[in-house]
């Protein structure tokens, strides 16, 4: 299903906004939650089909924009999708482990 078709399905299902959270590491990307809201702002329970399509859509957008988001220590974040405008706003954090090597010499003959 194309992105346009997914948006059309969401509109037909009276979903106007979605909030999605994701987390990844060890070469696996995971969608933690998909929360849908109707035009009145009330939460709407997504069908299993919508849930699955939205998960695939978010993973596809992450692959396009943040290739490798699931690799090594991975990344995590949240996405808000406005169904009417078709805009997906990401708040994306990349995990990075950094090391700093410092060599030093101490004389054990000086001092106490």
């Amino acid at each position: 299903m194309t992105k346009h078709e997914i948006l059309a399905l969401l509109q037909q299902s009276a979903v106007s906004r979605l909030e999605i959270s994701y987390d990844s590491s060890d070469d696996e990307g995971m969608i933690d939650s998909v929360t849908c809201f109707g035009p009145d702002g009330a939460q709407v329970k997504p069908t299993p089909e919508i849930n699955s399509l939205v998960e695939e859509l978010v993973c596809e957008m992450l692959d396009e924009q943040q290739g490798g988001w699931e690799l090594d220590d991975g990344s995590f974040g949240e996405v808000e999708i406005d169904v009417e405008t078709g805009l997906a706003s990401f708040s994306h954090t990349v995990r990075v482990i950094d090391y700093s090597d410092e060599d030093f010499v101490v004389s054990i003959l000086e001092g106490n």
Side-chain angles (χ1 to χ4, degrees):
M1 196 172 250
T2 69
K3 294 174 185 175
H4 295 289
E5 291 170 333
I6 294 171
L7 284 174
L9 177 63
L10 290 168
Q11 289 171 339
Q12 292 169 0
S13 302
V15 174
S16 62
R17 185 173 61 87
L18 298 98
E19 293 178 358
I20 302 101
S21 66
Y22 59 90
D23 198 350
S24 68
S25 64
D26 298 326
D27 300 337
E28 291 191 28
M30 302 293 294
I31 302 298
D32 292 327
S33 66
V34 176
T35 307
C36 300
F37 299 91
D40 61 355
Q43 192 169 333
V44 177
K45 184 170 175 59
T47 65
E49 178 188 23
I50 286 176
N51 203 51
S52 178
L53 289 170
V54 168
E55 287 182 8
E56 289 176 25
L57 176 65
V58 170
C59 288
E60 181 182 322
M61 289 187 291
L62 281 165
D63 287 341
E64 290 171 358
Q65 299 299 315
Q66 298 290 326
W69 67 281
E70 76 286 3
L71 299 176
D72 301 323
D73 295 315
S75 55
F76 61 94
E78 296 179 353
V79 187
E80 183 173 318
I81 298 175
D82 183 322
V83 175
E84 184 178 328
T85 64
L87 294 177
S89 300
F90 284 78
S91 176
H92 182 79
T93 302
V94 177
R95 286 188 190 92
V96 178
I97 294 179
D98 192 12
Y99 297 93
S100 175
D101 293 327
E102 296 180 14
D103 296 330
F104 57 92
V105 176
V106 175
S107 173
I108 57 175
L109 297 177
E110 295 177 10
N112 298 333

